[in-house]
Amino acid sequence: MSDAPVISAHNVWKLFGTDPEGYLAKMPQGRSYSDIQADGYIAGVKDVSVEVAKGEMLVIMGLSGSGKSTLVRCFSRLHEITGGTIEVDGQDIMALNEKQLIEMRRSKMGMVFQSFGLLPHRTVLENIAFPLEMRGQDKHDRRERALEVIKLVGLDGREDYFPRELSGGQQQRVGIARSLAIEPDIWFLDEPFSALDPLIRREMQDEFLRLQAMLNKTIVFITHDFDEALRLADRIAIMKDGAVEQCDTPDKIVLNPATPYVAKFTEEIDKARVVHAGTLARPDLAANGDPIPAGTTIHELARQLVDDDREALPVVSKDGVIIGGLDRRQALDILLGAA
Amino acid sequence: MALADQDQSTPVGPAGLSGSRVVQALLVAAIILTVLRPWLPDGLVRAPEWMLLPWRDWIDTVFQYVTFDLGFINVTRFLSGGLEFVLDAVANILYGRARWPRFEAVPWTVVASIAAVLGYALGGWRLALLTGATFVWAAVVGQWKWTMETLSVVFVAAPLGFLLGGLIGIWCWKSKRVEETVKPLLLVMQVLPFFSYLLPAVIFFKVGPTAATVATMAYSLPPMILMTTIGLKKVSPEVVEAGKMSGCTRWQMLRHVYIPSARSEILVGLNQVIMLCLAMVVLTAAIGMPGLGAKLLEAMGSFKLGRAFEIGVTIVLLAVVLDRLSKAWVVNLPEHFERGTPWWRRNIYLVIGVTLFIVFIGLSLMVSGMKPQPIEDAGFGNWFVGILDEVHRKEAMSQGKVYDRAIKDFLSLDAVTSVTGAIRYFVNVYILIPTERALLFVPTLAVIFAVTALAYRLGGKGPAILGFVFFCIVAQFGYWDRAMLTLHSVFMAVLLAVVLGAPLAIFASRSEKRAKRTILLCDTFQTFPSYVYLLPAIMLFGISPVTVILSILIYTMVPIVRYTLEGLRGVPPELTEAADMSGATRWQKLTQVQFPLAMPTIAVGVNQALVFAFFMVIIAEFIGTRDIGQEMRRTMAGTELGWNFVLGFSVVFMALTFDIAINAWAEKRRKLLGLA
Ligand SMILES: Nc1ncnc2c1ncn2[C@@H]1O[C@H](COP(=O)(O)OP(=O)(O)OP(=O)(O)O)[C@@H](O)[C@H]1O
Ligand SMILES: [Mg+2]
């Protein structure tokens, strides 16, 4: 991960209603979601500031209607935001003219839509080749590329089908393939695997992880599935009523929920599967003996934690450096639930 | 509509109270004026001479200025030249008119077989059969040339209307301002009498096919524009976003995302364009357009009922075929081919079409080689091949005379004449003449008040003010009596259509199967060009006022039955079941539950019936009316656009008053019932 964020959003607002700009300009500080609603506006995105670093996978979670899709649409300027600024690669996207915007989308961005957004009159192949066609790629090349990703998503043999001749999951894979075809630097994935069966879902997750690691892609990913989020996320943003309640690593979110809402949201999760030894390691805590790797979860260490009789265990990072000691009691509390 | 009117008096707020006062006051004023009429000064009975503004001259002046001083005529002459060229080329190919590209006429077998292949491609063998048979029929009864004359205009006017309507539709969708300007124009266009399209077409474009094409095309524009706009607006936002994220430019969005996604609506628009073009081109006989319309007019004029019947059949068949073909195209969504399907298999229809084309062209070339010999001596084989090229007059199997005899024999049966005579006498003497006299008796102002009251009752303040203004304009256009005669025919016919159509629809709604069949029948009837409806009326009642009413009646029954049926069927079953459980009788259920809920839909049907009636009553001029249609007919002889437009807009303003009021009512009612 490099330093300059790829996406950086500051105090972004997106209101729906008759005159959002006028309303926002006059709105007093500290209006809540329901206050705004009472005034006849819906706060799709409410004062959100987040940054996404290069090569990072940010997962957005939250209940239905909490504004996840809306936020992502703001990032890609499918929505004109009502207030705040969004920069992509240091460029204020609201300042782009039409031509520059098209250029940015063609060269950098890809998106998978929640309800697929397939063109009904085009075959699978033509749908997938569509973005390539729009940027004027040669017919032969784009066909070849499209066939490649069709194989990747396991739709070979259905190239000539029309969307309405496919099942929901197959349609979703066409949407995924369409965005894969162009290998964008920034990827917006709006519940991209929701209609897939667990097997294919896992395959797809692996594919995205591989791409991200290999090509250093930046991904904003929306999901309702916590396991998926944990598998994929570098950081998780939890949204409620248009606002981001907390945006942090999975470990920190489960360990230190910023708000009661986040606490409730993460209540059901088995913390031991989320929290890594590295997170708990305290530099001030001295420990001897065999070290444990920072990247293992408490759950994976369960047997050792129970069997071991040391107060503290040394934790070693990937590079072989001791980063601190793990308080065994604290880890056991996480594993077994606090007494 | 009495049914719903009763239970309607409840939902009136404080504003509505004063509203019903206004209605009462207006009605009372109208009644007082009518009662006092014998003692009223002339100026209060009809708009006095000095009040009539010289609209005719004004329009003519503007028209002169635009046409000659601004040189508009040069533009249209130029366009007309191009159009004529295209029309001539099509005419040359279809029926061998001696123009560029100077092919011989395509043999009828080629047209029929290609049409059949098209039918097969779009709708399977049934449609192929229907399509092929229609063209075979046209050839065999010896109407080939007329059919081709008519179709040559449709083939030019429909694509033009499609393109132009589509473009305007896109423009309306792009710009709110344009849409707001175009919408009222479309409303006017939809009720403007066809004669008001014909005269300008004749003046600006050459008489005959050129003017016919322009008028026809113009008339077909509104539905195309509306459907295009609707379709484009309905494209799913995620598809649009997917297009944007793919980096589409504006043009690419339109070309690759919007238009293909709005395919169904756009094709429905095309269907409407084609149907209107066919219906109108038949009517352009009035401006010297040859073809089926002219022949039908001729046959009806000289009371050759058999001939007229045959031509009517051809027109109806053509209408049904064109309708089915274009509708089949709407539902015919593309399907994938299995991998490795060979080229000829993917394009099978093209292959068959081209093959048939070559075969029949070859045969016809063979024939033209041996044409010089008289057909009788050519032997059967040659004769048969010759037939495939062209059906000559002598060989045509027209049974016109036979049908004519049969029809006339039937009509002169004592039983028939006494029945039709009795009906004619009764309707004329006891219904039409008294009501007509009464309407003419009522002072202009009283009519205006009554109409305003009606509009108020239906639509509220806005429609009432519009109605008042519109009728005042009609009054001071100076053709009041004729306007009232027109209104009289329209009202009587629609009233009868409701009286006869509603029970029919109720009956049909009782069983699913019957309902489906009735709707299919209505759909089919709706495709028939309006001229055709004159035919049975003339056959039964000859030339009389009853004929006019009857032809409008048949024409307007279709929307009445259709919408009533749809309204009744649209009532949610929970509600009728609830009524059943409350122990309602059939009649109670009908009047208390079904009709009130169906009323908004039925109102739309009545409205459509009124619009149709205003259209038909003008066409029926041909039977010899004394209303606006007859007067418009007279304008067609000259170039007095002002006169023509004043008459045309008299109809427009009357029709719009009802259109606006009824639609406002239906809208309000729908909201009230939560049908949205
Ligand atoms: N175009 C729009 N116009 C008006 N309101 C909108 C629009 N798009 C979204 N909203 C509102 O904004 C809020 C957030 O919607 P959004 O689609 O972002 O939810 P979400 O978090 O993606 O939910 P889900 O998980 O169901 O997809 C909702 O209340 C929605 O009604
Ligand atoms: Mg969403």
Side-chain angles (χ1 to χ4, degrees):
Chain A
M1 292 182 206
S2 67
D3 300 323
V6 174
I7 300 173
S8 100
H10 290 289
N11 306 99
V12 173
W13 285 82
K14 175 68 197 175
L15 298 178
F16 296 107
T18 42
D19 175 26
E21 273 88 6
Y23 174 76
L24 187 65
K26 287 200 299 297
M27 193 184 70
Q29 285 278 309
R31 298 288 282 175
S32 76
Y33 184 84
S34 44
D35 293 339
I36 294 173
Q37 197 166 28
D39 295 338
Y41 291 85
I42 289 179
V45 171
K46 185 166 162 282
D47 201 12
V48 167
S49 303
V50 283
E51 294 193 338
V52 189
K54 179 145 182 65
E56 185 184 20
M57 171 124 42
L58 175 73
V59 171
I60 304 180
M61 300 196 70
L63 298 181
S64 191
S66 56
K68 306 180 293 294
S69 300
T70 309
L71 180 61
V72 164
R73 285 197 165 87
C74 292
F75 288 162
S76 54
R77 207 179 144 185
L78 286 171
H79 281 328
E80 304 287 319
I81 56 177
T82 318
T85 55
I86 295 177
E87 288 176 9
V88 172
D89 281 343
Q91 164 79 57
D92 178 0
I93 60 166
M94 295 311 287
L96 297 176
N97 64 26
E98 188 178 320
K99 215 171 141 201
Q100 292 166 323
L101 182 64
I102 289 175
E103 194 41 47
M104 179 185 78
R105 285 176 180 157
R106 284 185 179 180
S107 61
K108 286 190 194 147
M109 290 181 170
M111 185 152 174
V112 175
F113 291 89
Q114 190 170 0
S115 30
F116 322 146
L118 302 182
L119 298 166
H121 57 285
R122 288 178 160 245
T123 61
V124 168
L125 188 90
E126 290 166 342
N127 255 296
I128 293 173
F130 185 66
L132 303 174
E133 187 181 335
M134 290 306 103
R135 56 197 71 177
Q137 216 180 71
D138 165 73
K139 190 168 176 173
H140 192 75
D141 290 351
R142 64 179 193 241
R143 192 186 151 81
E144 207 147 275
R145 176 67 191 145
L147 286 173
E148 238 171 80
V149 281
I150 285 177
K151 192 163 281 162
L152 202 68
V153 297
L155 281 176
D156 17 1
R158 316 231 168 216
E159 297 86 356
D160 296 329
Y161 280 53
F162 286 91
R164 77 197 142 71
E165 297 176 312
L166 299 174
S167 76
Q170 289 168 332
Q171 289 183 24
Q172 189 161 46
R173 278 185 276 160
V174 177
I176 295 169
R178 178 172 62 189
S179 82
L180 278 173
I182 49 177
E183 292 206 324
D185 295 333
I186 308 170
W187 236 315
F188 300 111
L189 308 173
D190 194 345
E191 299 183 34
F193 308 143
S194 58
L196 303 183
D197 59 76
L199 216 69
I200 298 182
R201 178 186 281 236
R202 213 173 161 87
E203 272 174 28
M204 289 284 128
Q205 288 169 357
D206 288 341
E207 180 60 29
F208 273 91
L209 281 173
R210 190 180 68 82
L211 282 170
Q212 190 205 11
M214 210 170 70
L215 303 168
N216 208 21
K217 303 286 181 195
T218 307
I219 301 179
V220 179
F221 191 109
I222 298 177
T223 181
H224 281 287
D225 177 352
F226 229 110
D227 288 331
E228 186 168 78
L230 293 178
R231 235 173 94 72
L232 298 173
D234 291 313
R235 282 188 304 153
I236 297 179
I238 293 184
M239 289 188 75
K240 174 180 181 258
D241 292 346
V244 171
E245 294 272 304
Q246 186 173 9
C247 178
D248 224 326
T249 59
D251 301 54
K252 295 210 178 112
I253 284 191
V254 292
L255 284 177
N256 312 309
T259 64
Y261 179 78
V262 175
K264 205 162 155 42
F265 197 85
T266 54
E267 198 175 53
E268 295 288 306
I269 301 161
D270 181 1
K271 293 194 178 72
R273 290 179 186 274
V274 180
V275 179
H276 295 88
T279 318
L280 292 180
R282 297 209 315 258
D284 57 315
L285 205 63
N288 310 312
D290 288 343
I292 48 177
T296 42
T297 60
I298 302 304
H299 184 262
E300 285 159 350
L301 294 170
R303 179 171 297 276
Q304 191 182 350
L305 287 172
V306 174
D307 291 348
D308 215 309
D309 54 2
R310 287 173 285 176
E311 277 299 304
L313 294 84
V315 178
V316 63
S317 75
K318 248 191 278 175
D319 324 322
V321 184
I322 302 279
I323 54 173
L326 172 76
D327 181 349
R328 195 168 67 94
R329 275 226 71 78
Q330 190 191 4
L332 280 172
D333 279 349
I334 289 172
L335 185 64
L336 307 169
Chain B
M1 293 213 284
L3 281 173
D5 274 353
Q6 279 155 14
D7 69 295
Q8 212 215 337
S9 40
T10 29
V12 225
L17 202 71
S18 66
S20 64
R21 280 272 168 71
V22 174
V23 171
Q24 277 166 16
L26 282 168
L27 285 179
V28 168
I31 291 168
I32 293 176
L33 278 171
T34 309
V35 172
L36 293 180
R37 144 131 199 189
W39 301 277
L40 285 181
D42 282 349
L44 275 179
V45 177
R46 292 287 180 265
E49 207 60 51
W50 58 264
M51 263 183 75
L52 306 183
L53 299 174
W55 287 101
R56 263 173 78 166
D57 302 337
W58 289 349
I59 296 174
D60 277 332
T61 311
V62 172
F63 161 67
Q64 289 285 336
Y65 177 73
V66 173
T67 318
F68 298 108
D69 298 349
L70 290 185
F72 187 57
I73 191 85
N74 299 324
V75 178
T76 58
R77 290 240 168 90
F78 173 74
L79 290 178
S80 156
L83 197 57
E84 197 174 9
F85 178 74
V86 177
L87 278 166
D88 280 342
V90 175
N92 173 263
I93 292 168
L94 284 182
Y95 59 92
R97 195 157 179 214
R99 291 293 146 80
W100 184 88
R102 297 196 180 274
F103 292 138
E104 283 275 325
V106 177
W108 66 270
T109 36
V110 173
V111 177
S113 52
I114 288 178
V117 173
L118 187 65
Y120 187 73
L122 289 173
W125 64 269
R126 276 161 174 260
L127 194 53
L129 210 64
L130 180 68
T131 313
T134 298
F135 283 99
V136 171
W137 155 273
V140 165
V141 295
Q143 296 173 8
W144 187 254
K145 178 151 183 262
W146 313 335
T147 307
M148 289 303 113
E149 281 169 342
T150 297
L151 282 185
S152 69
V153 170
V154 174
F155 285 165
V156 176
L160 275 180
F162 175 70
L163 278 181
L164 198 61
L167 285 178
I168 300 176
I170 291 172
W171 199 20
C172 286
W173 160 75
K174 276 268 178 210
S175 149
K176 192 108 199 131
R177 266 234 310 284
V178 174
E179 188 180 13
E180 272 158 14
T181 326
V182 169
K183 268 236 163 100
L185 276 180
L186 293 187
L187 263 186
V188 170
M189 277 177 82
Q190 278 172 324
V191 289
L192 185 66
F194 193 54
F195 284 135
S196 290
Y197 285 83
L198 288 180
L199 189 60
V202 169
I203 294 173
F204 288 110
F205 299 86
K206 265 170 102 180
V207 180
T210 325
T213 307
V214 172
T216 301
M217 184 204 70
Y219 198 82
S220 72
L221 285 179
M224 185 66 210
I225 296 175
L226 289 176
M227 285 317 292
T228 308
T229 314
I230 290 175
L232 290 173
K233 278 185 183 165
K234 261 181 34 186
V235 176
S236 123
E238 281 220 338
V239 171
V240 174
E241 287 176 340
K244 283 187 184 160
M245 286 311 288
S246 300
C248 289
T249 60
R250 278 178 196 222
W251 165 246
Q252 286 173 326
M253 278 308 277
L254 191 64
R255 161 86 182 66
H256 295 288
V257 178
Y258 279 109
I259 293 180
S261 303
R263 173 187 182 278
S264 294
E265 284 80 8
I266 292 177
L267 286 183
V268 167
L270 176 64
N271 166 269
Q272 306 256 311
V273 167
I274 294 175
M275 297 325 291
L276 278 178
C277 278
L278 181 67
M280 293 307 135
V281 75
V282 172
L283 289 176
T284 51
I287 51 166
M289 168 67 209
L292 291 171
K295 293 295 169 188
L296 179 64
L297 197 66
E298 202 181 292
M300 284 199 292
S302 51
F303 216 63
K304 283 185 190 153
L305 294 183
R307 211 2 75 76
F309 176 74
E310 267 187 358
I311 299 173
V313 169
T314 311
I315 295 177
V316 163
L317 280 175
L318 277 182
V320 172
V321 162
L322 289 179
D323 181 54
R324 294 279 154 85
L325 282 178
S326 48
K327 274 195 190 140
W329 195 16
V330 178
V331 292
N332 204 305
L333 297 174
E335 272 178 31
H336 72 274
F337 286 100
E338 284 312 317
R339 268 266 208 107
T341 314
W343 178 89
W344 66 267
R345 185 71 213 124
R346 284 173 192 253
N347 298 286
I348 185 73
Y349 300 122
L350 190 66
V351 172
I352 301 179
V354 170
T355 315
L356 285 171
F357 183 82
I358 292 170
V359 167
F360 284 116
I361 288 277
L363 279 175
S364 94
L365 285 181
M366 245 167 72
V367 177
S368 23
M370 62 196 186
K371 256 231 175 98
Q373 0 174 336
I375 283 163
E376 287 80 6
D377 310 336
F380 177 75
N382 289 347
W383 171 81
F384 182 71
V385 177
I387 279 284
L388 295 183
D389 181 38
E390 190 180 346
V391 177
H392 295 278
R393 211 190 156 92
K394 253 186 265 163
E395 298 144 355
M397 282 185 259
S398 166
Q399 299 297 314
K401 293 234 173 63
V402 179
Y403 296 139
D404 203 45
R405 260 287 43 90
I407 295 170
K408 283 183 182 149
D409 282 349
F410 173 74
L411 291 178
S412 59
L413 285 180
D414 280 347
V416 178
T417 39
S418 63
V419 171
T420 55
I423 294 180
R424 187 159 71 188
Y425 181 80
F426 176 80
V427 174
N428 220 347
V429 173
Y430 292 103
I431 302 181
L432 295 184
I433 293 176
T435 47
E436 189 180 297
R437 289 229 175 104
L439 193 57
L440 288 178
F441 175 82
V442 179
T444 303
L445 209 51
V447 173
I448 295 177
F449 282 161
V451 168
T452 311
L454 181 69
Y456 206 124
R457 183 80 181 77
L458 289 175
K461 213 191 226 154
I465 294 174
L466 276 183
F468 180 77
V469 173
F470 284 176
F471 265 75
C472 284
I473 296 176
V474 173
Q476 62 95 46
F477 270 164
Y479 294 93
W480 184 260
D481 283 359
R482 285 187 188 272
M484 284 306 103
L485 288 175
T486 305
L487 201 57
H488 174 256
S489 303
V490 165
F491 266 2
M492 286 327 261
V494 173
L495 196 68
L496 283 174
V498 172
V499 168
L500 298 174
L504 204 68
I506 294 171
F507 173 73
S509 73
R510 287 270 152 82
S511 106
E512 189 64 20
K513 211 161 107 197
R514 225 158 26 195
K516 283 229 171 87
R517 256 189 227 153
T518 312
I519 285 183
L520 188 72
L521 211 63
C522 284
D523 282 348
T524 311
F525 273 124
Q526 195 144 25
T527 62
F528 293 2
S530 38
Y531 236 15
V532 171
Y533 287 92
L534 290 174
L535 233 139
I538 290 183
M539 281 184 190
L540 285 176
F541 294 106
I543 302 292
S544 86
V546 180
T547 317
V548 177
I549 301 290
L550 182 66
S551 55
I552 306 176
L553 167 72
I554 312 175
Y555 190 47
T556 52
M557 276 275 269
V558 178
I560 299 268
V561 171
R562 187 180 170 133
Y563 281 89
T564 309
L565 189 53
E566 262 180 14
L568 290 176
R569 270 161 47 98
V571 175
E574 310 91 80
L575 290 179
T576 46
E577 277 159 17
D580 282 336
M581 293 314 289
S582 325
T585 63
R586 254 189 187 195
W587 176 248
Q588 283 172 324
K589 200 166 71 182
L590 197 65
T591 55
Q592 303 300 321
V593 179
Q594 290 173 307
F595 257 103
L597 278 167
M599 267 329 274
T601 312
I602 297 177
V604 172
V606 171
N607 186 41
Q608 205 177 84
L610 279 169
V611 172
F612 279 18
F614 273 110
F615 179 86
M616 196 67 180
V617 73
I618 303 296
I619 306 294
E621 146 284 319
F622 168 74
I623 306 175
T625 51
R626 288 161 298 136
D627 61 14
I628 288 187
Q630 194 57 241
E631 192 80 3
M632 289 198 87
R633 176 77 213 194
R634 285 173 43 200
T635 68
M636 298 299 297
T639 54
E640 284 181 86
L641 207 63
W643 189 14
N644 179 289
F645 269 26
V646 162
L647 291 164
F649 275 85
S650 297
V651 175
V652 167
F653 283 129
M654 289 194 292
L656 277 188
T657 300
F658 297 109
D659 181 77
I660 291 169
I662 295 178
N663 274 332
W665 182 84
E667 193 65 21
K668 235 172 29 185
R669 200 71 198 143
R670 212 171 272 150
K671 279 218 184 90
L672 202 75
L673 294 172
L675 301 172

